[in-house]
Amino acid sequence: MRTLIKRALTSESAQESITIKGWVRTRRDSKAFSFLEMNDGSCLANIQCIADAGIPGYDDVAKMTTGAAVGITGKLIESPGKGQKWEIQATALELIGESPEDYPLQKKGHTPEFMRSISHLRPRANLYGAVFRMRSRMSQAVNRFFDERDFTYVHTPIITASDCEGAGEMFRVTTQDPASDKPQKPENDFFKKSTYLTVSGQLEGEAYATALSNIYTFGPTFRAENSNTTRHACEFWMIEPEMAFCDLEGDMDLAEEFVKYLVQDALDNNEGDLEIFNKFVDKGLIERLKHVAKKPFQRVTYTEAVEILQNSGQTFEYPVEWGINLQSEHERYLTEEHFNCPTTVYNYPKSVKPFYMRTNDDGKTVTAMDLLVPGIGEIVGGAQREERMDVLQANMKEHNLSEEDYWWYMDLRKYGTCPHAGFGMGFERMLMFVTGMKNIRDVIPFARTPGSCEF
Amino acid sequence: MRTLIKRALTSESAQESITIKGWVRTRRDSKAFSFLEMNDGSCLANIQCIADAGIPGYDDVAKMTTGAAVGITGKLIESPGKGQKWEIQATALELIGESPEDYPLQKKGHTPEFMRSISHLRPRANLYGAVFRMRSRMSQAVNRFFDERDFTYVHTPIITASDCEGAGEMFRVTTQDPASDKPQKPENDFFKKSTYLTVSGQLEGEAYATALSNIYTFGPTFRAENSNTTRHACEFWMIEPEMAFCDLEGDMDLAEEFVKYLVQDALDNNEGDLEIFNKFVDKGLIERLKHVAKKPFQRVTYTEAVEILQNSGQTFEYPVEWGINLQSEHERYLTEEHFNCPTTVYNYPKSVKPFYMRTNDDGKTVTAMDLLVPGIGEIVGGAQREERMDVLQANMKEHNLSEEDYWWYMDLRKYGTCPHAGFGMGFERMLMFVTGMKNIRDVIPFARTPGSCEF
C-alpha cells in the first residue's frame, strides 16, 4: 500500500515500514548515500528520503533525476533536520519512470507565459500545485457553505436556446459545419433551432428557487467576448444562489457571509499552500485575508457612491455622474482607497441594469447590488428579482424582449409569485483574491481565451 | 425571520412564534377555521396550519388556492394528528402571490411527458421535488467521498480542440453562423481553429493525476448522438477520478467502494424522499439498495463473462462470441439474471477499446473494466491507462491518431511516467439507480435530447 506524502508528513508516530510514490524534486549524492526530496502533489511539502548505497534499487539512483517517478520503501523516522518532523530512511528504491534532461521543470524561475504553454505539466510546479489544491478546497467550501444552509444544488443547463439578457456574447452550439459552402438552416440543426452556451443559470435557478426555496448552481459559464484582460476568460465557473421569499438585504447578507466564509476557510484549511502565495506572489496576502475575514464590510447606495466619487478630488478617465455604469477605476477607488475594505454598492440606476431586476419605489433605481473587493473589483453581482407580473411585462417591453420567448419565466410570476433574490460569484475571481494570483489564466487548469484553446 | 418547513418539522420543542413561507398544497375550510397544507420545497412533507376565521389576513383565505404563495405566522404546537409531530396554529396569514385556476399542478396524475413540458414547474410536484433534492444530496456525497480520500477536484475544460477518442459524437462550439451563405474557415473562428464540447475530461485528468496523485472531475459532458433512448441525454454530468501509481485492481476497488458509498448515503440521508420512490416508482427499491450496500460485488473477466453467456441457454439478439462488444442484453443478463448483483467485467478485447487503455501481457486484452448494475447496465467504465511510451505510440498508429495532436498527452509518458488508472461514472445513471426513475429526462432539471432544447 502506498501512503500519500501529505499523510506521511502528518503521521502521529514513527513507522517501521512505509511506501511512498511520487516524483523526484531534487537529489544529492555522496559516496555512501543519496538524499532524495520527493513530492507527490498531495501537498506542497516534499518528504526527504535517505537512501544508503547498496539498498535494493540503488543501482538506478543516477536515473532518479528531477521529474522521475520513483517508489521508496523504508522507515518513517524523526528528522534531525529543521522544518520537518519526519523523513524516510529508505530500505528499497524503485525507478518507475525516468525524466530526460529536457524536462522543462528542472530549472526554476519560468515566466507565467511559459508555464501556460505547458499547462499539462505546470501543476507539477510548487506554485501551480498550490493554486490547484486551493481551487479544489475552495470548491469543497462552496458546496459545504450552501449545504450547511439547506440550499439545494441545481445543475442548470449548459446548452440553452435562451439568453440571460445582457450578460454577454454567446458561443453557438451546433452540429452544422460553418465551413460548408451551403447556408444551413437552424431548423435543420441538432436541436431544430439555434442553441448557445449558457452565460448564466439564473433564470432556470429562479424556477427552482420558486419550487425548492433555497438553491444554488455551481458550474461552467461562457462568454464569447474578445477581451484579452487578466480578469476575463471565455470559460469560467460561476456560483449562483437564488432564494425564495428573500429581499435585497437578505441577498447582500448572504453574499457578504459567503465571501467571509471562503476567506476564513482558506485561512483555516490550506495545509501550508497559502504560505507560498504570501512569499512569492503577494507579501501582504495573509494579512489582508485576515482583515477581510474579521472586519465588517461597507454598504453604500449607488447614489452615495457617486457622491463619494465626485467629492474625491480624483481625476477619473470616465467622468462620474449619476446614471453612469461604474467603471473598474471607480470600483477600485471605493474599495481600495475610500473604504479600504470590501464594499457592497446597491440600488443602481434602472437604465443600466437588465430587465429582471426589481424596480424600487422611486421608479428610477433597481434592487441591484455589486460586492467589490480590493485588488479585484466586482466579485459578486446580484439583485432582488422583479416578482410583479405587470412591472416585469413593462420592463420587457422597454428592453424589446418578447413575452413569448420568456413564457416559462413569466409563469413563475403567474403562479404563486414571491419576492426572491440571488447573485452570481465568479469563482476564479474569488480564487484570485484568495491566492493573490494576478492572471485568471493561472487559476484555471486549461484556460480558454480569445484565439487560445490548447490541450 | 422565516423558518424552512424542514426545520420546523424537525424542531426539538414547541415554539411561541414561528413564520413559514411557502406554497399552498391543499386547503380545507369550515365555518370557523381553515386547514392549510403548506410546502416550501425544503422537504417532501407539508406542514399543516390551522387558521381561525378572523385572524389578520384571513380575509384573503379564499385566494389561498393550490400553488399560491402564502406566509403564515403562528405557534408551533404538537399535532394531535397522526404521522406528524408539529403543526402551526396560525396567528396571521399573508397572501403573497395568487395562483389562478389554470395552475397545471392542481390535479395529480400527470404523465411524465406532460411534466417534461412544464420542466420549469415540475420541481413543485412531490415526486420531482424529491428527485432534485436527491440529485443535490448525491452531488454532495460525490464531493465528500473524494474529499475524504484526499482527491483534488479538477475543473477540466468544457470547450476543447481535442477529442477523447472513441467516446462519442461531438457538438461544435463556434461564433460563426452556419446560416451564412459563405463558407467560413476554422482559422477565422473565435479560437482560430475548430472547437467542440468535451465528451470526457479524462485526458486532462491524467495530466493532473500525474502531478497531484489523486484527482477527480465532476462536471457536464456532451454527446451529439441522435439516440432517443431512456438512458441517453446530450448533456449529462460525469464523475471521473484518476489515480497515479494505481493499477486495474485499485481502480475496480475504488469504483465498487464509490457505488456502495453513494447507495449507503442515499439510504442514510434522504429525509423521507426515498419513500416516495419506493411507493410510486419502484416498490422493491429500498430493499434492492440495502442489498447492494451490503453484498460484495462480483468480478469476472470478459473471457469468463463470454463463457457464462454462451452456456446460459439464452437466445440473445446479438450472438455471443469472444471479441464482441457486450451489448445491453448481455450486461443485463450477467448482472440481473446470473449474478443478481452489481458485477464488474474486466480485461476486454483490445480491438473494441480505445487507444489509451493498457495492453495486457497476453497482447489481445486491455485493462478495461465496466461496472454493471441491475436495471441500468453500465454505470462505470474505466481502465488502467497505457503508461509505456512505445506501446502507446504503437496503439496510436493502429488507431490512425497523429502523435502531433497528442503531444502533451505523450509528454505525460515522457517525463516521470507511472502506472495510473481511472474511471467515469454517469451521474444521472447512478441517480436513476438510486431513485428508480426510468427516464434520464426526469432526473435532469432541464434535459437536452435530440430536437429538444427548451427552457
Side-chain angles (χ1 to χ4, degrees):
Chain A
M1 271 298 289
R2 165 199 184 207
T3 301
L4 288 178
I5 291 174
K6 166 183 169 176
R7 294 289 159 201
L9 288 173
T10 54
S11 178
E12 305 231 319
S13 57
Q15 291 182 44
E16 242 342 273
S17 178
I18 194 172
T19 297
I20 60 115
K21 294 183 180 182
W23 294 273
V24 177
R25 280 293 158 84
T26 59
R27 196 191 80 235
R28 284 175 296 134
D29 301 320
S30 72
K31 231 180 213 168
F33 55 87
S34 297
F35 283 113
L36 293 113
E37 291 281 342
M38 297 292 297
N39 189 289
D40 64 7
S42 65
C43 62
L44 180 64
N46 304 326
I47 194 162
Q48 178 166 278
C49 306
I50 306 103
D52 287 336
I55 63 168
Y58 194 84
D59 288 351
D60 287 328
V61 83
K63 294 181 191 160
M64 297 178 186
T65 54
T66 301
V70 170
I72 299 181
T73 298
K75 287 184 187 180
L76 188 73
I77 57 172
E78 276 193 64
S79 177
K82 253 195 261 181
Q84 54 184 353
K85 195 173 171 195
W86 302 110
E87 61 182 35
I88 293 177
Q89 178 70 50
T91 53
L93 302 181
E94 182 195 5
L95 177 65
I96 297 170
E98 295 183 48
S99 178
E101 268 180 36
D102 62 349
Y103 182 54
L105 297 175
Q106 287 208 19
K107 286 175 194 145
K108 288 180 182 177
H110 292 303
T111 64
E113 290 75 19
F114 174 75
M115 295 301 272
R116 280 171 219 146
S117 77
I118 52 163
S119 290
H120 61 306
L121 298 177
R122 69 178 175 169
R124 302 182 183 194
N126 281 339
L127 179 63
Y128 294 90
V131 166
F132 293 108
R133 283 188 299 270
M134 290 298 289
R135 187 175 172 116
S136 175
R137 275 185 219 107
M138 191 181 282
S139 300
Q140 302 289 359
V142 166
N143 287 314
R144 198 181 335 106
F145 176 85
F146 288 110
D147 193 36
E148 286 170 358
R149 284 157 187 77
D150 296 318
F151 281 65
T152 301
Y153 185 9
V154 178
H155 294 130
T156 48
I158 308 298
I159 304 175
T160 180
S162 69
D163 67 317
C164 193
E165 189 258 351
E169 291 299 306
M170 299 177 90
F171 288 104
R172 180 183 293 270
V173 174
T174 178
T175 51
Q176 296 174 335
D177 188 352
S180 161
D181 51 10
K182 274 188 229 157
Q184 296 167 80
K185 294 179 184 164
E187 56 266 37
N188 295 331
D189 206 345
F190 190 88
F191 293 110
K192 304 204 188 306
K193 60 168 103 171
S194 293
T195 52
Y196 306 90
L197 288 179
T198 187
V199 290
S200 163
Q202 180 202 314
L203 304 192
E204 290 91 354
E206 286 185 54
Y208 268 68
T210 52
L212 306 179
S213 282
N214 294 334
I215 68 98
Y216 74 106
T217 72
F218 181 23
T221 43
F222 305 86
R223 297 280 185 287
E225 270 154 32
N226 217 329
S227 56
N228 254 311
T229 83
T230 57
R231 297 188 306 152
H232 291 88
C234 299
E235 176 180 323
F236 57 97
W237 282 58
M238 189 147 68
I239 301 139
E240 297 183 280
E242 189 76 29
M243 295 169 282
F245 306 105
C246 179
D247 60 13
L248 180 65
E249 201 183 336
D251 200 34
M252 293 193 287
D253 288 347
L254 188 81
E256 293 177 3
E257 189 185 351
F258 186 41
V259 169
K260 274 179 189 286
Y261 182 95
L262 295 181
V263 168
Q264 190 63 52
D265 187 79
L267 286 166
D268 293 344
N269 305 305
N270 65 75
E271 293 165 317
D273 284 330
L274 221 44
E275 298 292 339
I276 196 172
F277 306 122
N278 204 61
K279 200 162 170 188
F280 295 112
V281 178
D282 179 348
K283 299 225 182 287
L285 181 71
I286 294 181
E287 215 36 63
R288 190 166 65 251
L289 294 180
K290 284 182 179 170
H291 177 76
V292 166
K294 211 168 48 188
K295 204 180 159 183
F297 293 3
Q298 292 286 328
R299 281 187 199 174
V300 282
T301 63
Y302 169 88
T303 303
E304 289 163 344
V306 165
E307 281 164 18
I308 290 167
L309 292 165
Q310 284 175 333
N311 297 332
S312 67
Q314 300 279 312
T315 313
F316 295 110
E317 193 185 339
Y318 294 87
V320 177
E321 62 178 58
W322 201 97
I324 65 159
N325 224 336
L326 295 184
Q327 301 295 317
S328 186
E329 56 175 341
H330 308 135
E331 296 179 343
R332 297 189 67 160
Y333 176 80
L334 289 169
T335 184
E336 291 170 23
E337 306 289 323
H338 187 80
F339 290 116
N340 188 27
C341 85
T343 303
T344 307
V345 181
Y346 63 101
N347 287 348
Y348 281 77
K350 185 171 172 162
S351 56
V352 302
K353 291 292 180 182
F355 77 98
Y356 51 72
M357 294 189 175
R358 193 177 198 279
T359 306
N360 282 317
D361 291 345
D362 63 14
K364 61 178 192 170
T365 63
V366 290
T367 52
M369 63 100 168
D370 283 350
L371 199 167
L372 318 172
V373 296
I376 307 277
E378 185 198 324
I379 207 160
V380 163
Q384 182 177 343
R385 321 304 182 185
E386 184 56 75
E387 89 280 14
R388 295 162 298 185
M389 179 68 105
D390 53 341
V391 185
L392 186 68
Q393 284 169 322
N395 288 350
M396 291 177 69
K397 213 167 187 175
E398 274 176 43
H399 286 258
N400 288 316
L401 299 172
S402 107
E403 289 193 25
E404 226 171 284
D405 290 347
Y406 289 86
W407 68 273
W408 62 269
Y409 189 70
M410 316 287 288
D411 264 6
L412 308 179
R413 278 70 185 167
K414 184 174 175 189
Y415 302 114
T417 190
C418 67
H420 59 288
F423 62 79
M425 170 191 276
F427 179 66
E428 283 81 4
R429 288 200 183 172
M430 189 65 203
L431 189 58
M432 289 165 74
F433 182 62
V434 160
T435 59
M437 297 294 285
K438 297 289 181 292
N439 196 313
I440 196 167
R441 292 164 180 78
D442 300 331
V443 300
I444 298 177
F446 300 92
R448 273 69 181 104
T449 51
S452 174
C453 182
E454 306 303 317
F455 309 100
Chain B
M1 271 298 289
R2 166 198 184 206
T3 301
L4 287 178
I5 290 173
K6 165 183 171 177
R7 294 289 158 201
L9 288 172
T10 54
S11 178
E12 306 231 316
S13 59
Q15 291 183 45
E16 244 339 273
S17 179
I18 193 171
T19 297
I20 61 113
K21 293 182 180 185
W23 295 273
V24 178
R25 281 293 157 86
T26 57
R27 195 191 82 236
R28 284 175 296 132
D29 300 320
S30 71
K31 231 183 216 163
F33 54 87
S34 296
F35 283 113
L36 292 114
E37 290 281 342
M38 296 293 299
N39 190 290
D40 65 6
S42 65
C43 62
L44 181 63
N46 304 326
I47 193 162
Q48 178 165 280
C49 306
I50 306 102
D52 288 335
I55 63 167
Y58 194 82
D59 288 351
D60 287 328
V61 84
K63 293 180 191 159
M64 296 177 185
T65 56
T66 300
V70 170
I72 299 182
T73 298
K75 287 183 186 179
L76 187 73
I77 57 171
E78 276 194 62
S79 177
K82 253 195 262 183
Q84 56 184 353
K85 195 173 172 200
W86 302 111
E87 61 182 36
I88 292 178
Q89 178 71 48
T91 53
L93 301 180
E94 182 195 4
L95 176 65
I96 296 171
E98 296 184 47
S99 177
E101 269 181 34
D102 62 349
Y103 182 54
L105 297 175
Q106 288 210 18
K107 287 174 194 147
K108 288 180 181 175
H110 291 303
T111 63
E113 290 76 17
F114 174 74
M115 295 301 272
R116 279 171 222 149
S117 77
I118 52 164
S119 291
H120 61 307
L121 298 177
R122 68 178 177 172
R124 302 183 183 194
N126 281 337
L127 179 63
Y128 294 90
V131 166
F132 293 108
R133 283 188 299 270
M134 289 297 289
R135 187 176 173 114
S136 174
R137 275 185 218 106
M138 191 181 281
S139 300
Q140 302 290 359
V142 165
N143 287 314
R144 200 182 331 109
F145 176 85
F146 288 110
D147 193 35
E148 286 171 358
R149 284 157 187 76
D150 296 318
F151 281 64
T152 300
Y153 185 10
V154 179
H155 295 131
T156 48
I158 308 297
I159 303 174
T160 180
S162 68
D163 67 316
C164 192
E165 190 259 349
E169 292 297 308
M170 299 177 90
F171 287 103
R172 179 183 294 271
V173 175
T174 177
T175 50
Q176 295 174 335
D177 188 353
S180 161
D181 51 9
K182 274 189 228 152
Q184 295 167 83
K185 294 179 183 162
E187 57 266 38
N188 295 330
D189 206 347
F190 191 88
F191 292 111
K192 304 204 188 305
K193 59 168 103 170
S194 293
T195 52
Y196 305 92
L197 288 180
T198 187
V199 290
S200 163
Q202 180 201 312
L203 303 192
E204 290 91 353
E206 287 184 54
Y208 269 67
T210 52
L212 305 180
S213 282
N214 294 335
I215 67 96
Y216 73 107
T217 73
F218 181 24
T221 43
F222 304 86
R223 298 281 185 283
E225 270 155 32
N226 217 329
S227 58
N228 253 309
T229 82
T230 56
R231 297 187 306 152
H232 290 88
C234 299
E235 177 181 323
F236 57 97
W237 281 58
M238 190 146 70
I239 300 137
E240 297 183 279
E242 189 76 28
M243 294 168 283
F245 307 104
C246 178
D247 61 12
L248 180 65
E249 201 182 338
D251 200 36
M252 293 193 287
D253 288 346
L254 188 80
E256 294 177 2
E257 189 186 352
F258 186 40
V259 169
K260 275 182 190 283
Y261 182 95
L262 295 181
V263 168
Q264 190 63 54
D265 186 80
L267 286 166
D268 293 344
N269 305 306
N270 65 77
E271 294 166 316
D273 284 329
L274 221 44
E275 298 291 339
I276 196 171
F277 306 122
N278 204 61
K279 200 164 171 188
F280 295 112
V281 178
D282 179 347
K283 299 221 182 288
L285 180 71
I286 293 180
E287 215 37 65
R288 190 166 65 251
L289 294 180
K290 284 182 179 169
H291 177 76
V292 166
K294 210 167 51 188
K295 204 179 159 181
F297 293 3
Q298 293 286 328
R299 279 187 200 173
V300 284
T301 63
Y302 168 88
T303 303
E304 290 163 343
V306 164
E307 281 165 18
I308 290 168
L309 293 166
Q310 284 174 333
N311 297 332
S312 67
Q314 299 278 312
T315 314
F316 294 110
E317 193 186 338
Y318 294 87
V320 177
E321 60 177 57
W322 201 98
I324 65 160
N325 223 336
L326 295 185
Q327 301 295 316
S328 185
E329 55 174 343
H330 309 135
E331 296 179 343
R332 297 190 64 159
Y333 176 79
L334 290 169
T335 183
E336 291 171 23
E337 307 286 325
H338 186 79
F339 290 115
N340 188 28
C341 85
T343 303
T344 306
V345 181
Y346 63 100
N347 285 348
Y348 280 77
K350 186 173 171 161
S351 55
V352 301
K353 291 290 181 185
F355 77 98
Y356 50 73
M357 294 189 177
R358 193 178 198 278
T359 306
N360 282 316
D361 290 347
D362 62 16
K364 60 179 192 167
T365 62
V366 290
T367 51
M369 62 101 169
D370 283 350
L371 199 167
L372 318 172
V373 297
I376 307 278
E378 184 198 326
I379 207 160
V380 163
Q384 184 176 342
R385 321 303 182 185
E386 184 56 74
E387 89 279 14
R388 297 162 296 187
M389 179 69 106
D390 53 340
V391 186
L392 185 67
Q393 284 169 323
N395 287 350
M396 290 178 68
K397 212 166 189 176
E398 275 176 42
H399 285 259
N400 288 315
L401 298 172
S402 107
E403 289 193 25
E404 224 171 286
D405 290 348
Y406 290 87
W407 68 272
W408 64 269
Y409 189 70
M410 317 287 287
D411 263 6
L412 309 179
R413 279 72 186 167
K414 184 173 176 191
Y415 303 114
T417 191
C418 67
H420 59 286
F423 62 79
M425 169 189 277
F427 180 67
E428 282 81 4
R429 288 199 182 172
M430 187 66 203
L431 189 57
M432 289 166 74
F433 182 62
V434 160
T435 58
M437 297 295 284
K438 298 289 181 291
N439 195 312
I440 197 168
R441 292 166 180 79
D442 299 332
V443 299
I444 298 177
F446 299 92
R448 272 71 180 104
T449 51
S452 175
C453 182
E454 305 303 317
F455 307 101

